[in-house]
Amino acid sequence: HRIALQRELEQLDAVRARLEGERRKHGRLMKLKEGIEFIREKLREAGPLVAESYLYNVSVEANQLFREMMGRPDQSLRWSRDYEIILEEGGHERAFQNLSGGEQMVAALSVRLALLKELSDVRIAFFDEPTVNMDAERRERLAQIIGQVRDFDQLFVISHDDTFEQTVDAVVSVERP
C-alpha cells in the first residue's frame, strides 16, 4: 500500500511540476500579449499621423511639380485630407472636376509622380498620352519637366505626340505595316 502511495505522490509531483511550468509559460505569454496590445494601440494612434505626414509630403511635391509643369507660380495644387485635388489661385479654390482638361491632366500627373516618389521604391513610371487636352506650350513644358525628373530610373512615355522626342534619351516608333 505504501508503494502505491509513493507512486501516486511522485505522479502528483510530476503533475505539479508540469503545472508550474505551464503557469510560467502562461505568465510569459500574458506579458507578450500585453506588449503586443501596447504596440497595436500605438500603431493605431500613429496611423493617422503617418498618413497625414505622407499626405502633406505628397501634396508639397505634387504642388512643386504642378507649378513647374504649368509654369504658373501663382497657382497652388493641394491634395486634401479627403484625397481631393484642389487648385488655389488668387484666393479662390477650384475642385478637380472644375479644372480644364489640361489642368486635370497635369494635376493628376503631378500627384501620381509625387505618390510614386514618396511611397514607392519602384523607380519606374509609365505615362500613356500625358499631353491629351494640352496646348502646345504646356505639352512642351510637360515634356521638359518629365525629361528633367531625376528620382526615377526609367520613365516611359507613350504618345502619338512628337513633343517628347527632343527631351528623352531614346525614341521607339511603332508604325502599322
Side-chain angles (χ1 to χ4, degrees):
H1 183 44
R2 209 173 212 196
I3 295 175
L5 284 175
Q6 185 64 30
R7 278 190 210 144
E8 202 172 314
L9 280 173
E10 288 171 2
Q11 288 174 346
L12 287 174
D13 283 341
V15 167
R16 184 180 338 169
R18 282 194 312 266
L19 182 60
E20 196 54 42
E22 291 298 319
R23 282 187 185 146
R24 283 192 301 273
K25 187 177 177 181
H26 178 73
R28 287 191 305 269
L29 289 174
M30 290 307 292
K31 285 182 181 180
L32 183 60
K33 180 183 176 194
E34 289 172 13
I36 289 171
E37 286 174 355
F38 174 79
I39 290 169
R40 281 184 178 154
E41 180 60 29
K42 293 304 167 193
L43 288 174
R44 262 192 294 278
E45 292 172 7
L49 299 173
V50 170
E52 182 103 10
S53 174
Y54 275 125
L55 185 63
Y56 173 79
N57 290 336
V58 168
S59 188
V60 167
E61 183 68 26
N63 180 48
Q64 181 179 339
L65 289 165
F66 182 82
R67 286 177 167 187
E68 287 175 12
M69 283 188 246
M70 293 297 288
R72 297 282 311 268
D74 60 322
Q75 293 181 328
S76 294
L77 185 75
R78 182 169 41 92
W79 203 34
S80 75
R81 285 183 175 174
D82 297 329
Y83 306 105
E84 296 289 332
I85 296 174
I86 299 167
L87 182 63
E88 296 177 23
E89 180 180 20
H92 300 287
E93 292 185 349
R94 288 190 293 153
F96 184 80
Q97 63 269 18
N98 296 329
L99 303 179
S100 71
E103 288 171 328
Q104 285 181 346
M105 181 62 77
V106 174
L109 283 171
S110 299
V111 170
R112 181 176 176 212
L113 278 172
L115 279 167
L116 285 170
K117 185 176 176 184
E118 292 292 324
L119 301 178
S120 175
D121 290 335
V122 175
R123 295 294 176 223
I124 297 174
F126 289 86
F127 299 99
D128 187 12
E129 298 292 346
T131 56
V132 170
N133 298 319
M134 289 185 187
D135 60 31
E137 180 183 336
R138 285 200 173 87
R139 282 196 310 265
E140 288 181 26
R141 189 172 293 121
L142 177 62
Q144 288 171 354
I145 295 297
I146 288 178
Q148 294 171 3
V149 172
R150 298 290 171 236
D151 296 319
F152 295 88
D153 297 330
Q154 295 288 318
L155 294 175
F156 295 90
V157 179
I158 301 160
S159 181
H160 292 93
D161 183 347
D162 63 357
T163 305
F164 293 93
E165 289 185 11
Q166 282 70 40
T167 59
V168 297
D169 294 332
V171 174
V172 176
S173 295
V174 178
E175 296 179 17
R176 289 185 184 180

